[in-house]
Amino acid sequence: MATITDVARAAGVSPATVSRVFNGGRVTPERAERVRRAAADLGFSPNRVAQSLRKQRGSVIGLLIPDIENPFFTALARGVEDAAQQTNLSVVLCNTDEDIEKERRYLGIALAEQMAGVIVAAASRDRTDLSALAARGMPVVAVDRRPRNASVDAVLVDNQHGGEAATEHLLAGGYRRIACITGPAATSTSEERLAGYRDVLRTALHDGRVPAPPTGDPLTAWVRHADFKVEGGRAAMADLLAMDTPPDAVFVANNLMTVGALTALREAGQAPPGFGVLSFGDVPWAALVHPSLTTVQQPSYDLGFTAATLLQERIGGTHTPLRTVVLRTSLKIRASTAGPADGT
């Protein structure tokens, strides 16, 4: 039986758009026509898809996220809840604080309470353990982060592409000593965004577009790992500014660390765009600060909505092979990357 995800892929839209078409939401006529055509070609029936889920009125799913204070995860959670409401599933929100033991306790509660399924943004790429849920046949969808060695559906962002686009943009703006503040090494999103940065930097070093740092490996000298929190970003930025040859721009791998990096720059008497700042992850205030902040925008709501849609399909009895949906990022160029102070 065709699913919402199948229709979305065939029509070239998100599952949220498919849902809006069949539930009376606002969609452009062109997109609505593409969705209906794809649904007809695949024999998709929204009523049939939801039928088995409606029998489970009052069922509960768990959503495990690292940090509800992060606007990215807040929007993701809203997407999960909106999708779940369409089939009368309730959502229990669990904040893991990037703590593997706390995550393990919440997964145990999901089993003990016999939840219908779980959506999890893994606290650790290597240590998150979903095997107990798999052994009990509980549907699980990984969102934003894919834990290693876990056979589950996944909804991810193309983090490496976002890191590449960010670094290329800074190079194009005239910055030459570009640093990267990324998250914990145990987190897949940290490493993927860092990989994008390094791929571009490696090519730029080979082409002579950027100078090598006076000491150390040029692919690691201006890299700092932090904790995805404000204070971690501030400390990492302060450390970079204290170098004998400090950077002239920074790509920060999440929005909260960007707040910390901006704080450290202000404390050091530096500011964008003379010192370039580019954040992975948009925030509501990005266009309001001065100068406005250039960001890599993630489809955070669609991540959550798509993850919940995949989970609902599994709960409803879909037996298709495991699926991985990768959503693209986009670059929102604003004033914080307008060019270095010396104009070079």
Side-chain angles (χ1 to χ4, degrees), residues 83-94:
Q85 285 293 308
Q86 295 185 4
T87 47
N88 300 303
L89 288 170
S90 299
V91 181
V92 172
L93 178 63
C94 306

Side-chain angles (χ1 to χ4, degrees), residues 109-125:
I109 290 170
L111 283 172
E113 296 297 327
Q114 299 182 349
M115 291 185 182
V118 169
I119 297 170
V120 56
S124 170
R125 177 185 54 193

Side-chain angles (χ1 to χ4, degrees), residues 299-322:
S300 48
Y301 177 91
D302 281 351
L303 272 171
F305 195 101
T306 304
T309 299
L310 292 185
L311 188 69
Q312 289 168 349
E313 291 169 358
R314 290 294 181 200
I315 295 169
T318 296
H319 298 292
T320 57
L322 292 175

Side-chain angles (χ1 to χ4, degrees), residues 148-239:
R148 193 171 283 169
N149 303 320
S151 298
V152 296
D153 294 311
V155 184
L156 311 171
V157 164
D158 193 345
N159 290 292
Q160 184 159 339
H161 175 264
E164 291 169 354
T167 311
E168 286 283 13
H169 174 70
L170 289 168
L171 281 170
Y175 301 100
R176 291 296 175 261
R177 301 184 308 279
I178 300 169
C180 176
I181 300 175
T182 191
T187 306
S188 61
T189 48
S190 301
E191 293 305 291
E192 290 163 5
R193 293 168 194 175
L194 177 60
Y197 161 84
R198 282 180 169 158
D199 281 352
V200 172
L201 188 61
R202 185 181 295 109
T203 300
L205 285 162
H206 181 268
D207 295 343
R209 287 187 290 160
V210 298
T215 60
D217 181 345
L219 297 181
T220 61
W222 286 319
V223 172
R224 297 293 183 273
H225 285 272
D227 58 0
F228 279 146
K229 305 284 188 178
V230 173
E231 180 54 31
R234 191 204 66 77
M237 189 71 254
D239 189 52

Side-chain angles (χ1 to χ4, degrees), residues 245-317:
T245 305
D248 63 358
V250 64
F251 162 49
V252 190
N254 96 322
N255 46 25
L256 294 184
M257 292 192 300
T258 301
V259 175
L262 289 169
T263 301
L265 285 167
R266 186 187 67 232
E267 291 170 349
Q270 300 199 50
F275 190 106
V277 178
L278 198 157
S279 173
F280 199 110
D282 208 19
V283 286
W285 46 261
L288 303 178
V289 295
H290 181 75
S292 55
L293 184 64
T294 298
T295 61
V296 176
Q297 295 185 315
Q298 302 182 79
S300 48
Y301 177 91
D302 281 351
L303 272 171
F305 195 101
T306 304
T309 299
L310 292 185
L311 188 69
Q312 289 168 349
E313 291 169 358
R314 290 294 181 200
I315 295 169

Side-chain angles (χ1 to χ4, degrees), residues 8-83:
R9 185 180 300 112
V13 299
S14 72
T17 299
V18 177
S19 177
R20 285 193 288 270
V21 169
F22 290 107
N23 288 284
R26 294 180 62 184
V27 181
T28 64
E30 185 270 335
R31 284 192 173 188
E33 177 58 27
R34 276 162 46 199
V35 168
R36 292 193 179 94
R37 190 183 309 119
D41 291 344
L42 294 170
F44 171 79
S45 170
N47 292 331
R48 196 167 70 239
V49 170
Q51 185 176 16
S52 59
L53 278 168
R54 290 198 179 105
K55 294 177 182 176
Q56 301 188 47
R57 185 179 300 273
S59 291
V60 174
I61 62 173
L63 171 62
L64 279 64
I65 58 174
D67 186 3
I68 191 58
E69 291 184 342
N70 187 328
F72 166 76
F73 287 112
T74 305
L76 186 153
R78 181 57 189 260
V80 169
E81 183 183 32
D82 284 356

